[in-house]
Amino acid sequence: MNATDRSPKQPPHLPWAEIAARLAAAERPFVEVFARHELVLELFSPRDIDTQTPHARDELYLIASGSAVLNRDGERLAASVGDVLFVPKGMPHRFDTFSADFSTWVLFFGPE
């Protein structure tokens, strides 16, 4: 693998049940699902608290289940299923309120 294509052989289909099972078994509150070129897709579900720190890449959150409030550098954004949230690289952010069933797709993109 190289920096432009971290996972050269990607599956053509990513079943939700398989991804959710991987996340439930993970020690961390996220699992990487797909990576290619400058795009990384993760499923993220914080447990009790969100300990995120600013990232080196831009990111989009696509809310998959539940609801949450994203604290985005002091701005509070309420979100629920289907909503999309953007956080530019380097910006402090975290979900400081979220339902027990909250999960979100995270797309990291662009150069680090």
Side-chain angles (χ1 to χ4, degrees), residues 14-28 30-33 43 45 47 105:
L14 304 164
W16 171 257
E18 183 181 312
I19 296 166
R22 284 180 47 208
L23 179 60
E27 291 182 22
R28 301 179 294 182
F30 65 91
V31 290
E32 184 175 295
V33 176
L43 183 61
S45 182
R47 301 167 184 152
W105 296 107

Side-chain angles (χ1 to χ4, degrees), residues 14-91:
L14 304 164
W16 171 257
E18 183 181 312
I19 296 166
R22 284 180 47 208
L23 179 60
E27 291 182 22
R28 301 179 294 182
F30 65 91
V31 290
E32 184 175 295
V33 176
F34 182 90
R36 186 162 175 86
H37 304 295
E38 291 186 348
L39 174 69
V40 175
L41 173 65
E42 296 178 354
L43 183 61
F44 174 62
S45 182
R47 301 167 184 152
D48 299 322
I49 62 168
D50 179 358
T51 59
Q52 291 188 81
T53 57
H55 304 291
R57 303 175 79 188
D58 290 339
E59 63 185 305
L60 285 174
Y61 290 103
L62 291 79
I63 309 304
S65 63
S67 60
V69 175
L70 176 68
N71 186 330
R72 186 180 172 267
D73 198 25
E75 177 183 23
R76 294 177 53 80
L77 305 169
S80 58
V81 175
D83 289 354
V84 177
L85 305 163
F86 171 70
V87 178
K89 67 181 176 182
M91 178 179 277

Side-chain angles (χ1 to χ4, degrees), residues 1-12 32-39:
M1 280 190 267
N2 60 49
T4 61
D5 193 359
R6 293 174 43 186
S7 301
K9 189 171 183 175
Q10 293 292 346
E32 184 175 295
V33 176
F34 182 90
R36 186 162 175 86
H37 304 295
E38 291 186 348
L39 174 69

